[in-house]
Every structure is written in structure tokens, then in C-alpha cells.
Amino acid sequence: MKYLTSFLLLLTSIFLQAQTPVYLDPTKDIETRVEDALKRMTLAEKIDVIHAQSKFSSAGVKRLGMPDFWTDDGPHGVRPDVLWDEWEQAGQTNDSCVAFPALTCLAASWNPEAARAYGHALGEEALYRGKGMILGPGVNIYRTPLGGRNFEYMGEDPYLTSRMVVPYVQGLQSCGVASCVKHYCLNNDEEYRHQVNVIISDRALHEIYLPGFEAAVKEGKAWGVMGAYNLYKDEHNCHNQYTLNKILKKDWGFDGVLVSDWGGVHDFDQAVKNGLDMEFGTWTDGLTMGATNAYDQYFLSKRYQKAIVEGRYTTKELDEKVRRVLRLFFRTTMNKQRPYGFLCSESHYEVAQKVAAEGIVLLKNDGNVLPIKPEGKKILVVGENAIKMMTVGGGSSSLKAQHEISPLQGLQMRLKGICDVEYARGYVGDVSGNYNGVTTGQDLKDDRAPEVLIAEAVEKAKTADYVIIFGGLNKSDYQDCEGHDRKTMDLPYNQDKLITALAAVNKQTVYVNISGNAVCMPWRKQVPAIVQGWFLGSEAGIGLADMLLGKTNPSGHLPFTWYENLNQVGAHSFGESAFPGIWREGKKIIDEEYKEGIYVGYRWTDKQKLKPTFAFGHGLSYTTFKVSNLKVLSPVTTDGNMTFTVDVTNTGSVEGSDVVQLYITDQKCSVDRPVKELKAFQKVNLKPGETKTITLKTDKRALSFWDEASDGWKAEPGEFIAWAGDSSDRLPCKVKFTLK
Ligand code: BGC
């Protein structure tokens, strides 16, 4: 009997195993599962999975048990749900999220582990909300301070961007949620994003604009990449032979899905052949063209199916697209090992706070005005940005945050019972507070004339011990917002006048700039303390109050050059043809030639010997640091791999973190090279008086330039210099080495 039972059990298990199709068997490798699933799919099912079926979803394969696939923005939190085919809110009550600091702030932390925590927390929120893919992070390079979406990106330097994007992608994907790194590529301004055809040297493309994407794909193993709206070599980047088929898929070996930006597909044959895998957003504005069969009208929908049936295309390209989509399914929605999701958890708020604390940049602090010593003092807070919610607006990154603590609220919370906090409006900017049907609920209306607002603030400032102005930009059109670029680099809404007037009557004036972009600061010599406060999300007020009061010690460093004005910007030094471009006849395409080439950001100001307001990599602390004793382990290298050591000492009286930065200069080369380029960095925490010796490693790529002749990286033998310090304009250490 005993033997019979065992025998029957064995038979049942063999039978069940035989019943489990290969594609559902998690013990099989993913490629085997993909091929098995592909074989089982009909033509119609294959077509269904490669295009959208609603604003943010595409179909799964019902018959085979594969769920629909849901994407969502990205990149600073999980966007609230919109209707099936409308941009209006679905009206869910369970889609409020934690708003994390904008990616410029994350980059300013110079802390890759903070990026990992950020990605992971976001992944958990996405999982809870049932999303298989987050449309982010954005790694387009900050080419001009007018760029409307710079706040969603990671600054001007390809190396810093690369180091920060990899852990973000890994953290996110460790939750079984795909990242969709965007916008690939050359989407560096917004105004004419659908019409711009970028003309650029191969060298600038590879050295400046691609490394962030390359690192995300090769090291981060990103499962998704989003094609950009603009054109390159006269083809839209959502179906571009050169950027997609050649560079992304062939050269970098990308095995994930190339998702179109929403409405970024324009050409049928190219959509089939040039590397596009999933089409989203075409012809569905949800209003005029969002007919019930809108999704059938997609390029990669019925029309493609018909063309295959009629023999105009084989299934070669289709199967390749579907393989990639299936891989995506097995990595995400069909992955039984996925962890649990969490929404609005304490740990997520902690991450938001930590990133804010590490990313806020203390730009100037004459006479140690900061940190504020509040006991028994009167503090005057001024400015619309002290009270305005910033998580709503800005375009697709707009969120419905569970809460958002404003700077004024943050200070009031932290100073309750300690000192008086007064408020004056100072200026009125944009009082509207809604995006796609999410409203802030704030009534910011104030009809008083600008002079009246300034006079009121000045009167109050005269008797205050400290004046803290929260100004800058906001998420409205033509500011830090998708769809347009800023029209000037100046501060809007009369703020220059306000700041000058306040600084004239109060010597303890602190200006906190809220933005994702540099702004002109003509008054900067009169204002003793200046802080870059970014868009900090849910915990904005806490992050800023803690920094201003010295509860946290600032350790953010600028991820971009803070120019004096547009005359210092490479992109703006060659006239219209370099920005915003010149329209071709018929006004369908605008050619924008990146004439500054590889000289973007500090590479440009270095070359032109310009002194920006604040340099790339700059950031102060409440303590002081000394970077010294840079050594190279073997001063002669043949393989290009280098190891450096450098000491960093906290020479002040409080604990703090410094960002040690290593730049490399190629002394002699057959091509023109930048004065120096960032090639390694490390953030280090030190107690007062403490010294740490840190090790920085670089590889051959750090010595190389993109050689257009051989279409590859090349390091020429010769002498190099490595510099170390804690800002691109403060590099006290130098050491020479030779590549043989
Ligand atoms: C933006 C993308 C975004 C998509 C979906 C597009 O307009 O460029 O970044 O992910 O919309 O909202």
C-alpha cells in the first residue's frame, strides 16, 4: 500500500510537470520561456502586445495567462491614474504617493547609494500600484539653463549622470519593476521637441550625450528605454536606425524594450524596422481622436498585421519585438519572485528626506549666517515658494502626493515654541494649482501690486533677526516644466527687486532658490547666504528647515555649472543655429546644431576661461574640509587602469560630508580635449578632526576620447594629470601619470 501511494504521487507529479508549459516554468531560463511563449502566440496576440491599449497600458496575452502591462510616470513618484483614454484623473482614492526629490537633487547628492534607495522605494510604490514599468529616470544632459525639463534630469556631466543612474535602475528593478530610461536621445530642450533635428559630431554624441544611457543599459541592465520625440539624422528617435538598431541594440547589446515616447511615432516603415518595440500615445489625445478604436489605428497595430498577412513584411521584425516584450513580462508581471509593494511607507518618507538632506546645496554662507540660531529670535519668511505646493505641475512628472510639507510649514513645525516665524508674500507668481485634474487645493490669490508686496516685506524685514526668502521658479509653463523652455535665465515675478530690497535692510538675509535650473543672481554679492533648494517633494519643508537650522549639515554639490548669464553658456554662443535652431522650409523641421560640441557646462567655461557664479561640483558645509595627499599607485600604466588615494580631513567643528572629486587632464593629444573632466568621486562622512584616506579607481575609458575615425574609444599614450578636490574650481591636489 505504502509503495502504491508513493508510486501514485510520483506519477501525479510527473503528470503535473508535463502539464506546466515551459514558458510558465520558473526553473527554465528566460530565453527558453520566451521562445516557448512566442511559439504559442497567434499573429493577433503578437500585434496586441506591441502597442498601447489605453493611455498607460498595453495588452497581455489573456489566453496564456499573461496580465496586461501597466506603465506609469516617473521619475519622482508614481503618477496618479488617469482615465482609460483621457488625461483626466480616474478619480481613484488609493493613488496618492510619496513624492521624492527631483532628479537634479538626487544628482546633487553625489551619493550612488542614495540613488539606489530612491529607485528601490519608488519600485515598492510602483509595485503596490500594480505598475510593471516606471517611465524614468531621465538622463538627458543639461545643455542650457533654459531647458524646461532639466529638473527631471541629472545635470551636465556624463560621468556623474552615469554613476547615479545605474543604482537608480538597479534599485527600481530589484522590485521587479522595469525602468524606462528616457529620453533616448538628444532631447535637451523642450520647445520644439517634436520637430528638432539635432546635428552633432559623433564625438560629442558619444562623449557627452550617450554615456548616461550606455551605463543604464550596460551596467544597470535597464529593461526599458524610451525613444525621444526629436530627430537625429532626419529620423525620429522612436524609430531611428542609427541610435536604436546600431548603437542601443547592436553596440550596447540592449535586450529590453524600446518604448516610444507618447505620440512619438511618425513613420510606418521605420516603426517596423528601426528598433521600436512598443508604441504608446499615438493618435489618442482622448478628445478628438480618441475614438474607441483609436488603438487599432496605431502604426504597430492592425495596419502592421494587415501588412504581414499580405506578405509585405515577414514576421522577422515582429517576432523580435515580441521576444523583447515577453522578456519584459517574465522580468516583471510574470515574475513570481517579485517582492511585496508598499505605498506611502515610513521608509519611503525616510528616503525622500535623506535624498533632500544630501542634495540641498549651500552655495554661499558669508559670516556663517547659517545655520540659523533661532532661540529668542524673530524670523521672517518671504516668498511664494515658501508656501506653494510644487508636486503638482511640471508636466508628466506631476504627482498626487499624500502630503507635501511647504518650507514655511517645515520651519513652523521645527520652530514651534522656540521662536516667532512671520510670513510676507513678497511676490505673486503663478497662483494656479492644478495639473490634469489634480488640484493643490491652495488659494494663493493675492491681488496686491508688486510694490505693495515688496514694501510690506521690507517693513517686516527691518525688525526681523533673519529674513529667509524662498524664491526661484515653479512648475508652470515656461519655467521648470515640460513642453516649453524658459524664455530667459532671469528670475521671474519681480524677484530681483524684492531680494535686493530685503538684503538692503537686513544683513542676515538668506535666499533659498527653488528650481531645477540655474537662475541669474545679479544681487548675489549683497546676500550673505544662498541655498539651492531644488524641488524636494513630500518632505520639502522638513528637508529645508533641518538644513537651515543645522539639524542636518548640507552636503549637496552642484550637478551643473551655475552660469552668470546666458553669455557664459556654450549652447548660446553660436547664435540661433545652435539654439533653438533654424526652421527648414515648410516649418516642419528645425535643425539645431550643437556647435559647442563636447564643450558643455564646465568643459565650456574652462575652455573659455569664464568664471561662473558657482562652479560645477561646488557645495559648502557647516564644517570645513581639506583634501590633500593625492597619490597614484602606479604612475605608469599600460592598460589604463589607475588607482588613486587621497586624504580628506574635516578641519571644522561639526560632523559633515564632503564630495571628493577627481578630474583628469590629457596633456597632449591629437584631438582637442577639455581642460579637465570628472572621472571619479566619492562622498565621505567625517567627524570633526577626522581624516580618511579614500581610494578612487578609474579605467581606460577615463583616459579616452571618442575617435571618429575608428568609431570607438581611444586613449593615446602620453602624460596625464589627475586633480583632486571638492569642486571643479577647487582642486588643490595634482599628480602626473603616464599611459604607455
Ligand atoms: C513625456 C514622457 C512621459 C510620457 C507619458 C511624454 O509627453 O515626454 O516623459 O513619460 O509623456 O506621460
Side-chain angles (χ1 to χ4, degrees):
M1 185 62 191
K2 197 171 137 208
Y3 289 115
L4 185 65
T5 318
S6 307
F7 180 67
L8 283 176
L9 276 175
L10 185 69
L11 265 187
T12 322
S13 94
I14 290 171
F15 179 72
L16 279 179
Q17 264 178 24
Q19 288 297 295
T20 307
V22 171
Y23 76 96
L24 286 179
D25 183 350
T27 64
K28 295 279 187 301
D29 72 85
I30 204 162
E31 296 309 316
T32 310
R33 296 174 69 191
V34 164
E35 291 308 321
D36 182 63
L38 186 71
K39 273 198 307 234
R40 297 167 190 264
M41 288 168 74
T42 65
L43 176 62
E45 283 167 341
K46 287 180 182 176
I47 292 287
D48 276 352
V49 300
I50 61 167
H51 66 82
Q53 60 169 2
S54 77
K55 278 269 174 278
F56 286 97
S57 76
S58 53
V61 192
K62 292 185 188 61
R63 199 177 50 85
L64 300 181
M66 299 185 189
D68 288 355
F69 191 77
W70 284 87
T71 67
D72 207 358
D73 288 298
H76 306 141
V78 188
R79 186 176 177 170
D81 291 329
V82 294
L83 291 171
W84 189 254
D85 193 22
E86 304 282 334
W87 285 110
E88 280 313 305
Q89 291 303 297
Q92 320 271 37
T93 50
N94 60 353
D95 58 354
S96 301
C97 67
V98 174
F100 297 92
L103 292 194
T104 27
C105 173
L106 179 63
S109 77
W110 293 61
N111 181 351
E113 285 318 304
R116 187 180 307 282
Y118 189 124
H120 185 259
L122 180 61
E124 287 188 335
E125 298 244 328
L127 258 186
Y128 190 88
R129 294 268 314 278
K131 312 296 179 191
M133 172 183 271
I134 283 292
L135 305 172
V139 291
N140 294 95
I141 290 291
Y142 183 119
R143 179 176 175 244
T144 152
L146 301 189
R149 287 185 94 169
N150 282 344
F151 73 100
E152 287 186 66
Y153 304 144
M154 298 189 183
E156 73 184 27
D157 184 76
Y159 181 77
L160 175 62
T161 300
S162 304
R163 291 330 344 125
M164 299 303 289
V165 69
V166 169
Y168 179 117
V169 168
Q170 291 170 338
L172 179 65
Q173 294 190 167
S174 68
C175 297
V177 174
S179 61
C180 189
V181 187
K182 67 193 190 185
H183 307 88
Y184 181 75
C185 57
L186 298 170
N187 185 181
N188 307 98
D189 38 70
E190 282 295 288
E191 199 64 45
Y192 306 114
R193 57 181 179 170
H194 295 278
Q195 296 94 359
V196 158
N197 178 56
V198 174
I199 300 169
I200 186 176
S201 68
D202 277 359
R203 200 175 153 205
L205 177 71
H206 285 274
E207 287 187 25
I208 306 293
Y209 296 96
L210 293 186
F213 293 102
E214 182 181 7
V217 167
K218 287 198 197 160
E219 292 174 60
K221 305 274 180 235
W223 296 334
V225 169
M226 183 187 289
Y229 283 135
N230 53 288
L231 301 93
Y232 169 64
K233 289 188 193 277
D234 278 9
E235 282 178 0
H236 281 95
N237 276 328
C238 290
H239 35 74
N240 189 303
Q241 167 61 22
Y242 189 75
T243 56
L244 301 182
N245 279 345
K246 180 184 181 299
I247 298 177
L248 179 70
K249 292 187 171 174
K250 182 169 154 282
D251 297 351
W252 298 348
F254 175 62
D255 70 355
V257 287
L258 188 287
V259 175
S260 74
D261 198 346
W262 269 229
V265 184
H266 301 270
D267 182 285
F268 179 53
D269 190 55
Q270 288 179 18
V272 172
K273 291 181 182 157
N274 288 0
L276 172 68
D277 300 309
M278 293 177 100
E279 181 185 5
F280 276 87
T282 312
W283 294 334
T284 58
D285 61 5
L287 302 167
T288 47
M289 306 182 78
T292 43
N293 65 344
Y295 297 96
D296 293 345
Q297 313 287 327
Y298 272 37
F299 291 99
L300 296 188
S301 184
K302 293 282 180 257
R303 182 166 162 185
Y304 189 21
Q305 188 171 343
K306 187 161 178 271
I308 290 175
V309 171
E310 289 171 358
R312 281 180 281 128
Y313 293 94
T314 67
T315 54
K316 179 174 151 253
E317 290 93 358
L318 175 67
D319 285 348
E320 183 51 24
K321 294 178 202 298
V322 176
R323 275 192 188 96
R324 287 169 184 271
V325 175
L326 288 170
R327 222 173 267 140
L328 178 70
F329 289 173
F330 290 128
R331 286 167 167 166
T332 57
T333 51
M334 297 290 288
N335 173 4
K336 284 239 163 100
Q337 310 301 317
R338 285 214 288 189
Y340 294 105
F342 300 82
L343 190 61
C344 297
S345 308
E346 291 86 340
S347 63
H348 298 175
Y349 283 112
E350 273 164 29
V351 171
Q353 265 194 39
K354 181 175 161 54
V355 172
E358 290 215 31
I360 296 170
V361 186
L362 178 59
L363 292 170
K364 181 180 174 187
N365 195 18
D366 285 359
N368 292 333
V369 169
L370 292 175
I372 283 164
K373 293 129 208 115
E375 287 76 13
K377 301 283 168 57
K378 187 173 135 193
I379 295 178
L380 174 67
V381 173
V382 183
E384 183 169 290
N385 282 355
I387 54 171
K388 186 174 169 67
M389 275 180 72
M390 293 292 186
T391 51
V392 175
S396 55
S397 61
S398 183
L399 296 171
K400 182 163 116 191
Q402 188 191 41
H403 72 244
E404 176 178 343
I405 301 169
S406 73
L408 179 62
Q409 286 167 338
L411 281 164
Q412 285 166 336
M413 283 160 73
R414 289 297 196 236
L415 292 173
K416 200 164 168 211
I418 299 176
C419 80
D420 285 347
V421 180
E422 240 201 297
Y423 176 70
R425 181 67 174 263
Y427 71 94
V428 176
D430 185 345
V431 299
S432 65
N434 74 69
Y435 185 81
N436 273 173
V438 176
T439 48
T440 61
Q442 289 188 297
D443 181 6
L444 296 177
K445 201 163 161 309
D446 191 329
D447 291 331
R448 288 176 293 168
E451 310 75 58
V452 177
L453 294 168
I454 293 180
E456 180 201 46
V458 166
E459 258 335 282
K460 289 185 175 173
K462 284 181 187 161
T463 57
D465 294 292
Y466 291 95
V467 176
I468 313 175
I469 311 165
F470 291 90
L473 308 178
N474 54 36
K475 300 279 194 69
S476 311
D477 281 349
Y478 298 101
Q479 301 221 19
D480 280 325
C481 185
E482 181 176 342
H484 295 289
D485 294 312
R486 294 164 71 198
K487 289 177 175 165
T488 81
M489 212 186 132
D490 297 330
L491 275 175
Y493 318 127
N494 248 323
Q495 291 181 72
D496 286 340
K497 266 201 191 141
L498 170 74
I499 299 163
T500 312
L502 290 171
V505 298
N506 193 307
K507 295 292 154 234
Q508 308 245 77
T509 294
V510 178
Y511 173 70
V512 183
N513 189 68
I514 305 296
S515 78
N517 260 316
V519 299
C520 293
M521 294 180 163
W523 34 259
R524 70 167 201 283
K525 295 214 168 89
Q526 287 100 275
V527 177
I530 305 179
V531 173
Q532 174 56 18
W534 312 115
F535 296 110
L536 296 179
S538 290
E539 299 290 272
I542 296 297
L544 287 165
D546 285 352
M547 178 268 162
L548 293 167
L549 299 170
K551 200 164 173 263
T552 55
N553 191 351
S555 63
H557 286 241
L558 286 177
F560 53 73
T561 304
W562 200 288
Y563 308 99
E564 285 274 312
N565 50 47
L566 290 183
N567 295 333
Q568 292 193 332
V569 186
H572 295 278
S573 304
F574 299 89
E576 241 184 291
S577 60
F579 181 90
I582 295 187
W583 287 102
R584 290 189 199 169
E585 229 180 281
K587 277 220 143 198
K588 289 224 166 83
I589 291 182
I590 179 168
D591 285 310
E592 185 176 12
E593 190 171 351
Y594 287 16
K595 289 190 170 157
E596 72 284 10
I598 57 169
Y599 296 101
V600 176
Y602 65 89
R603 289 164 171 83
W604 176 260
T605 49
D606 276 358
K607 185 179 163 72
Q608 303 296 324
K609 301 198 170 48
L610 299 168
K611 200 175 158 11
T613 307
F614 302 109
F616 171 80
H618 168 74
L620 303 174
S621 160
Y622 294 147
T623 186
T624 47
F625 299 101
K626 189 173 151 212
V627 179
S628 62
N629 212 11
L630 174 66
K631 285 188 196 144
V632 53
L633 249 47
S634 41
V636 181
T637 172
T638 44
D639 61 6
N641 291 326
M642 307 294 305
T643 304
F644 303 89
T645 59
V646 60
D647 295 345
V648 49
T649 307
N650 182 343
T651 50
S653 53
V654 288
E655 184 175 345
S657 296
D658 200 13
V659 175
V660 180
Q661 303 162 36
L662 184 105
Y663 294 79
I664 290 183
T665 303
D666 187 353
Q667 290 220 278
K668 200 165 146 268
C669 186
S670 59
V671 297
D672 194 32
R673 297 204 68 180
V675 173
K676 61 177 187 287
E677 296 183 278
L678 180 74
K679 295 299 172 186
F681 64 83
Q682 197 174 309
K683 196 166 201 176
V684 201
N685 187 268
L686 298 158
K687 300 241 170 357
E690 191 184 6
T691 297
K692 278 184 187 161
T693 301
I694 59 163
T695 302
L696 297 167
K697 286 181 186 283
T698 60
D699 59 13
K700 196 164 182 185
R701 176 70 83 88
L703 312 180
S704 307
F705 59 92
W706 182 263
D707 179 36
E708 300 193 336
S710 64
D711 201 31
W713 293 98
K714 183 173 178 185
E716 283 181 354
E719 298 250 296
F720 292 80
I721 303 175
W723 311 83
D726 54 12
S727 171
S728 67
D729 66 346
R730 205 167 44 248
L731 299 167
C733 311
K734 132 182 193 183
V735 63
K736 290 192 174 185
F737 62 93
T738 308
L739 173 69
K740 279 259 157 116

